[in-house]
Amino acid sequence: MHCDQVNPLLEAFGNAQTVMNDNSSRFGKYIQLRFHNSSVKGAKINEYLLEKSRVVHQDEGERNFHIFYCMLAGISPDDKDMYGLLDPTQYRYLNGRYGSEDIVRKWGEKYSEVCNAMDMVGFEEQEKVDMMTILAGILSLGNIMFEPTETDAVRVTDKSMGWLKATAGQFGVQEEELLRSLTCTLSVTRGEAIRRLHNQQQAEDARDSIAKVAYGRVFGWIVSKVNELLAPNVDFVVELSEIGILDIFGFENFAVNRFEQLCINLANEQLQYFFNHHIFLMEQNEYKEEGIEWESISFKDNKPILDLFLTKPIGILSLLDEQSAFPQASDRDFVDKLNSKFKSSPHYEVVRSHSPLFTVVHYAGKVQYNGLGFLEKNRDTIPASIRSLFINSVTPLLSLLFAATISRTGTLMPRKAKQKADDNFNSTRKQSVGAQFKHSLAVLMEKMFVASPHFVRCIKPNGSKLPDQVDNKIVMDQLRYNGLLETIRIRRDGFSWRPSFKEFAQRYNILLMKPDLPLTKESCLSILNTTEIHGWKCGSSRMFFKYWHQEELARLLERLGKAALVIQKDYRSLRCRRKYLSLLVEVHRQRQAQRERAEREAREEEEEKRQELEEEMRRRLDMEQENKRPFSPPVPLPRRKKPQPQPRSILPTATHLAPVPRPRSKQFEATPFDNLEVHIGLAELVGQVGGEERARERSKKRKNTIRWFKETQARKVVHNGAFPCWFHGMITRRQAEDLMTDKPVGCFLIRVGQSREGYTLTYKGANRCRHFMIEMQSNGKYVILGEDKAHPSLPDLVQHHSQVGIKPFNELLSTPCGQTCDQNTDYEDLKGLDLLATANHGSPKSGEEGESTPDPVQLELQRLFLPPGQSPSLESQRPPVLRRISDRRHRSEAGGGEARGGRRGERGEGEEEEDETDHKSRSFPRLYPSIRLAMREIQQIQQHFPDGQDQSPSISHSTTNPSWRKTDS
């Protein structure tokens, strides 16, 4: 798997729409790429400061995290009913807004990418269901509203009781325990339990804190799963090189700046300090080491601003932790303490206002912060009973997330065995968010100070999110925020170019016009003394130049280059003149020789004519003398014998000769793009010592592969009692290519690996056969090596790549390579497995016919609490929540008996069995009956209270077909 294949997953859970960017990253990440011999061996992702407050609150023009909208747009209506999801406009955490049809369609496509990324990472189906159920529970949790009672306590409003039940079912906890955790706090002092009732504000804070903590732990769990997949699979003795990529938010100054902006700007202050240290201070230290004289360069040092934030015990974060430790402290008390401590600081300004406001003078400018919510966000606590409640949840993922511990940097870590189960989880023992962020920032800086950094600055051209438009003010503000203007000034004041002696002498030795110039310091000084350049410095190992020195040296080289062109021009002119004169003499000589050759040829021609005439006269005299001799008759030739016919030979009967094996064709040669199965055993067995032992080892691997296929794969491959026509069992690479000899381009087959547990796809290309290795994920998905799409089964893989080409040539699977017989596979290894798989998979249940008819009332009650498509029939072997029937039966029961008969006639038995098999293997939330009952109660309440005074938007009466066409206000 490639590192970029996890981007859709991280972006969906960590990015959101802001006023500046529609896909803004709301967390910082540090990616460590591990290399060995110029190839990537693994990676690790560290995440920093996820903006969890966005889950419960978004400012005007902003949205929640992408995953909520993608989930609501991409999940089918049946799955919405399973998870307990209603119309998106009903959820308070989404501000009652959704989007247009085009945006919803894009979110649906994004959800498909997220699901595929989950399959590639290795999520199990039950883990995916649990994660989506937790996200649905977070949305339902936000709709729980509270109202005060006459006894100074709070209670859940009548309209919110359905949402409370839905949240309890989605989180897999008891409704009464969840309500108790929201409305009161239980503490133990000297063995005595003390219960403190919450007021309305405290209950709402407890509700929102649960949502933020749950979402933050889900995100941390996803990052840990990704790191498990990307971990380098090499020996510990192998030394790996590393490249680190830090992607973090830039300086932020909004209309209202909160605790998240303070942490973000603190991170940018720290990075700017590192930038100053690396660019400026390290350069000046190098000047000192080289022993050159230099003038002190003044720059804006932001170390006092960092001290304002990080100094102990009097710093903004230290005072924030101090105030967070007092339960009765308020945000106003925290701001007043800041004003009293830092009113004389030049980097802090007191704001006279009824609201808790204060201003910090950052290196990029003044930023005014609103202190409301600082203490609550820094504590990031949940009710003490919530942790134990969620640890005992019937949802395994939620129990795992809250049983895990949080490291000093805020990373989710597995629970240690030595840790006690009854560990109290309170704010006095838990690190604050500010302390976690400060520690993670220190760890990050340690990594960066020992590295060789390169800086990439991103500039946004305008605030309208439009192309081809540049707003000069916005661009200049960003240049100032990034410190680039200061960097440009310092670069101009210092020595920006520092070549070594060897580099300078090699490049500019032409200025001295001496051959074989030694590459030493003296040669560099001699070169510079011949010029009129001033202001440069000579160190112990290199030269130091200002930025304009390169331009002057370039002009000198250009001057010499022009002089060289003049010399070349004159020299080439002289050479051409000499060559022309020599050619002219040669032409005269050739003409004279040609005239002499013509005269000689004329004399020779006359001599030949005279000799021909003399020869003709001699031949005529000889003919006249021959005619004077007497005539004699011709002598007849002897007669030839007539050829006799040859007797017919009787050939013996030709014996049957064994067919000569045809040579391997060049069209089946392998290419670097093929996924080759290298049969090492066959090569080692020929003419080598120990061949028998290797043969036994190969036979053992073959038997193990057959056992693996029989136990885990046969039922997945068999369809309607037989193997698919493109499945060819355990055959060799050569046998697969022989089958493809006369097949058209696009023909394919899938075969079982002989020495490994997996499959290989053989494809007939235009010039050769290609072999693609099919890899099996830990969650049972199938992936062609090099592709980025996971498939639940081999038929789905074949169906997908019949429409989407296989990389790198985008070749489509068009024609399956059939078997040589119609009854079974061609090869002996897997014979009979199709019948075995069919018998084990589709055997009827014993005693089914003899069972008595269940009570109709009981069936009706049971149907209310079962997911759509599950069977209401009673089985003693399994609980009702795990039994499923086909969608056909569910639709037929809703439509009536007449429609039931028509649909039953349209579909065959094989399709019904396939649906039943698919439904039985499907995962569901643990407390689905409670979720469904809560959804029905919510709908009934909405029907009685259509005005929705306590709910943010009005509620739709349809749960399976919600309105997606509502746009943002």
Side-chain angles (χ1 to χ4, degrees), residues 7 13 40 71 141 220 234 282 338 359 382 394 410 417-418 469 490 492 501 519 768 812 834 868 875 897 918:
N7 279 341
F13 282 85
V40 179
M71 177 178 64
L141 180 66
V234 295
M282 291 182 65
L338 293 182
T359 300
I382 58 177
V394 298
K418 297 181 180 180
Q469 291 186 9
I490 298 301
R492 292 174 63 91
F501 295 145
L519 307 179
R768 60 184 64 85
L812 296 175
D834 51 354
E875 289 186 28
D918 178 66

Side-chain angles (χ1 to χ4, degrees), residues 402-673:
F402 281 84
T405 58
I406 304 298
S407 67
R408 294 183 62 190
T409 59
T411 305
L412 197 71
M413 299 178 64
R415 187 181 181 87
K416 297 181 180 180
K418 297 181 180 180
Q419 190 173 358
K420 297 181 180 180
D422 57 349
D423 181 21
N424 291 328
F425 189 78
N426 50 50
S427 60
T428 59
R429 298 184 58 186
K430 179 179 177 293
Q431 262 196 325
S432 65
V433 174
Q436 291 177 0
F437 182 68
K438 183 167 61 174
H439 184 74
S440 62
L441 202 59
V443 173
L444 179 63
M445 289 298 107
E446 289 178 3
K447 295 178 181 179
M448 296 185 66
F449 271 108
V450 298
S452 300
H454 299 268
F455 299 89
V456 178
R457 303 291 189 177
C458 299
I459 304 298
K460 190 174 180 62
N462 59 77
S464 305
K465 306 176 185 178
L466 296 176
D468 302 330
Q469 291 186 9
V470 178
D471 190 325
N472 294 332
K473 183 179 182 304
I474 292 179
V475 172
M476 289 300 296
D477 289 342
Q478 293 178 87
L479 293 177
R480 189 178 300 106
Y481 293 162
N482 292 332
L484 293 181
L485 297 181
E486 186 73 7
T487 303
I488 294 172
R489 185 186 66 82
I490 298 301
R491 282 290 191 180
R492 292 174 63 91
D493 293 343
F495 295 98
S496 59
W497 182 42
R498 302 183 296 272
S500 63
F501 295 145
K502 180 179 179 181
E503 178 185 354
F504 182 82
Q506 285 179 339
R507 187 171 181 179
Y508 297 102
N509 58 357
I510 186 64
L511 297 177
L512 202 57
M513 298 182 185
K514 289 184 179 180
D516 301 329
L517 187 69
L519 307 179
T520 60
K521 176 180 179 180
E522 290 73 16
S523 300
C524 297
L525 295 177
S526 301
I527 293 173
L528 291 172
N529 291 331
T530 58
T531 65
E532 297 180 356
I533 298 177
H534 304 285
W536 49 268
K537 300 292 182 180
C538 180
S540 60
S541 63
R542 60 184 65 247
M543 305 296 298
F544 289 81
F545 296 95
K546 298 287 187 178
Y547 71 94
W548 66 81
H549 287 156
Q550 273 187 301
E551 299 177 0
E552 295 184 6
L553 290 172
R555 283 196 293 269
L556 293 177
L557 291 180
E558 184 180 1
R559 175 186 171 189
L560 290 179
K562 292 180 179 179
L565 287 178
V566 174
I567 296 174
Q568 291 176 2
K569 180 190 68 174
D570 294 339
Y571 175 70
R572 289 174 181 175
S573 174
L574 178 62
R575 286 188 58 189
C576 291
R577 177 66 178 172
R578 292 177 178 177
K579 187 174 182 180
Y580 171 75
L581 294 177
S582 63
L583 289 176
L584 189 61
V585 172
E586 181 66 20
V587 167
H588 288 307
R589 187 187 64 77
Q590 290 180 0
R591 288 179 179 177
Q592 182 64 28
Q594 186 178 4
R595 286 194 295 267
E596 295 177 354
R597 185 169 58 254
E599 294 176 355
R600 185 171 58 255
E601 290 177 354
R603 290 194 298 269
E604 292 177 353
E605 185 177 356
E606 291 179 359
E607 182 67 21
E608 290 178 358
K609 290 182 179 180
R610 185 180 62 79
Q611 292 179 358
E612 288 178 357
L613 289 175
E614 292 179 354
E615 184 67 25
E616 183 67 22
M617 291 297 295
R618 191 182 305 109
R619 189 170 60 256
R620 288 181 181 180
L621 292 176
D622 293 340
M623 290 180 62
E624 290 178 357
Q625 292 178 2
E626 186 69 25
N627 292 334
K628 294 179 180 181
R629 294 179 182 176
F631 175 76
S632 58
V635 180
L637 297 174
R639 182 178 180 181
R640 293 182 179 180
K641 293 183 179 180
K642 184 178 181 181
Q644 299 296 327
Q646 296 292 336
R648 182 176 297 175
S649 61
I650 302 176
L651 296 177
T653 304
T655 59
H656 179 71
L657 301 178
V660 179
R662 64 177 180 81
R664 183 184 178 93
S665 175
K666 286 182 69 62
Q667 68 172 343
F668 301 119
E669 289 182 358
T671 66
F673 300 102

